[in-house]
């Protein structure tokens, strides 16, 4: 078991470094985003300060990726973005228990050993914070291989009662919230309707890219809900509770709530929605140069709906189809590239993604009127001087 773990870790590391490994070309997938090749340079965007750098992830802090540096399909665990709202609790791993309570046939607790002994499943999942945005050059983002127990297997092991409607996931982190004039201690928590919770891709994750979950990412256990914004992926998961009504805690009912203007029948109204499924989005993050040849790289995130195309427009030219990374899977991020014979001067580059249902990524002008900071998925034009 330990050996198997190390093998997996090495295998994932190997793919992470594939761009650097000389002899590995034959066994590589058709196309892999390489790290900077010899003689290749990063071309600075002119819409971004040159010294836009970020330090390493630090205890308690927020960390974002410098998206210009994205060069691997899997984000290194030490560089995966970090966001949390009530600090980073150190869960006692030896005495860890995942409690499952509420409208179930058998309330019970799972130790880490018990979780490890259940059937394990792994899946590539990329996500961004619901508050990711162009002023951060989309840095609150990452893509990893997650491994653990299917949430469905845990729910089946306890038996959800027919009157169970909603599954609530509580983290070990606790913060103080003021509601009107009353201070209350609340755990970070999110919920899913039972019908969404039993999707077979939802994971109670124990590992990230072949290693036990790092502290910053929820050690020892976190929820991963593929196709959803980061906020759904409850870190430091300690309790799952089934109830017969909607859960209305801060991160479902008040915060991570998008407020936008919509037509409700024939009335224009301000409407709230919880931040849940990732909206169709693409973004250009990197331009490299090798000799006279330029290459544009970007990412796509969405809710897992298959894609029809990713296109790039340069200045006022036509939309041209980009190449998708062949390692992309349904819920991973999808990196794309396009070769570009750039002329010298100032250029504007923008990407747009279209899904198989015909939804086209919106321009900033087409976005709904929105006053909240969440769900920023408009096309993002970048400027660059060649
Ligand atoms: N327990 C707990 N889980 C949490 C949070 C939190 O504050 N506490 N923040 C959420 C938010 S808003 C995001 S964007 C993701 C970030 O996950 P990461 O730090 O592993 O990238 O974790 C989610 N899970
Ligand atoms: Mo977030």
């Amino acid at each position: 078991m330990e050996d198997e773990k190390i093998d997996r870790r090495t295998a994932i590391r190997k793919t992470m470094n594939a761009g650097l490994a000389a002899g590995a070309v034959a066994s590589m997938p058709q196309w892999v985003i390489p790290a900077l090749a010899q003689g290749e340079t990063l071309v600075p965007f002119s819409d971004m300060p040159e010294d836009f750098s970020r330090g390493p992830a630090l205890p308690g802090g927020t960390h974002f990726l410098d998206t210009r540096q994205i060069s691997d399909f899997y984000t290194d665990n030490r560089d995966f973005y970090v966001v949390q709202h009530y600090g980073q609790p150190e869960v006692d791993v030896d005495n860890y228990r995942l409690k499952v309570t509420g409208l179930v046939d058998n309330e019970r607790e799972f130790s880490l050993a018990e979780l490890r002994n259940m059937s394990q499943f792994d899946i590539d999942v990329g996500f961004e914070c619901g508050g990711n945005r162009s002023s951060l050059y989309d840095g609150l983002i990452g893509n990893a291989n997650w491994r653990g127990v299917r949430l469905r297997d845990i729910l089946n092991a306890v038996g959800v009662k027919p009157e169970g409607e909603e599954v609530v996931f509580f983290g070990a982190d606790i913060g103080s919230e003021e509601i009107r004039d009353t201070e209350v201690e609340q755990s970070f928590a999110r919920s899913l309707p039972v019908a969404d919770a039993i999707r077979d891709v939802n994971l109670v994750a124990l590992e990230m890219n072949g290693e036990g979950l790092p502290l910053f990412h929820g050690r020892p256990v976190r929820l991963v809900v593929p196709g959803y914004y980061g906020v759904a992926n409850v870190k430091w998961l300690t309790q799952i509770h089934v109830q017969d009504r909607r859960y209305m805690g801060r991160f479902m009912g008040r915060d991570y709530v998008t407020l936008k203007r919509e037509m409700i029948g024939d009335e224009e109204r301000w409407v709230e929605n919880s931040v849940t499924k990732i909206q169709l989005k693409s973004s250009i993050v990197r331009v490299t140069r090798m000799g006279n040849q330029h290459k544009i790289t970007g990412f796509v995130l969405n809710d897992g709906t298959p894609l029809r195309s990713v296109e790039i427009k340069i200045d006022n030219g036509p939309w041209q189809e980009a190449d998708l990374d062949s390692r992309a899977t349904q819920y991973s991020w999808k990196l794309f590239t396009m070769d570009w014979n750039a002329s010298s001067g100032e250029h504007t580059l923008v990407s747009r993604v279209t899904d198989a249902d015909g939804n086209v990524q919106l321009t900033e002008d087409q976005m709904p009127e929105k006053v909240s900071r969440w769900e920023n998925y408009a096309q993002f034009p970048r400027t660059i001087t060649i």
Side-chain angles (χ1 to χ4, degrees), residues 176 185 302:
S176 178
E185 303 261 280
N302 79 338

Side-chain angles (χ1 to χ4, degrees), residues 259-315:
L259 179 56
K260 62 180 186 292
R261 215 202 281 269
E262 261 185 1
M263 293 304 289
I264 299 295
D266 57 1
E267 298 279 355
E268 197 175 66
R269 297 186 188 278
W270 286 98
V271 179
E272 289 101 341
N273 68 269
S274 264
V275 169
T276 55
K277 289 183 187 173
I278 301 178
Q279 304 271 7
L280 184 64
K281 169 173 181 172
S282 74
S283 229
I284 289 171
V285 291
R286 162 185 167 100
V287 175
T288 52
R289 174 199 189 115
M290 178 83 143
N292 287 328
Q293 189 61 45
H294 288 80
K295 183 185 277 189
I296 303 168
T297 302
F299 71 83
V300 173
L301 279 181
N302 79 338
D303 62 1
T305 304
L307 303 184
R308 182 179 294 167
S309 65
V310 186
E311 298 161 297
I312 293 177
K313 186 163 86 166
I314 298 166
D315 303 321

Side-chain angles (χ1 to χ4, degrees), residues 61 63 80-89 127-131 140-142 146 169-173 187-190 208 216-218 222-223 229-237 251 256 374:
H63 175 71
F80 200 100
Y81 87 94
V82 181
V83 167
Q84 59 282 306
H85 299 275
Y86 298 147
Q88 297 164 330
F127 54 85
E128 63 172 3
C129 176
L140 296 174
I141 189 172
W146 306 91
F169 305 89
F170 292 95
D173 46 336
S187 304
F188 180 89
R190 284 277 301 190
M208 175 179 188
F216 299 169
H217 300 288
R222 88 178 298 175
L223 182 70
Y229 283 101
V231 67
N233 302 323
V234 177
K235 304 194 272 191
W236 311 290
L237 178 69
F251 297 96
Y256 284 81
W374 315 112

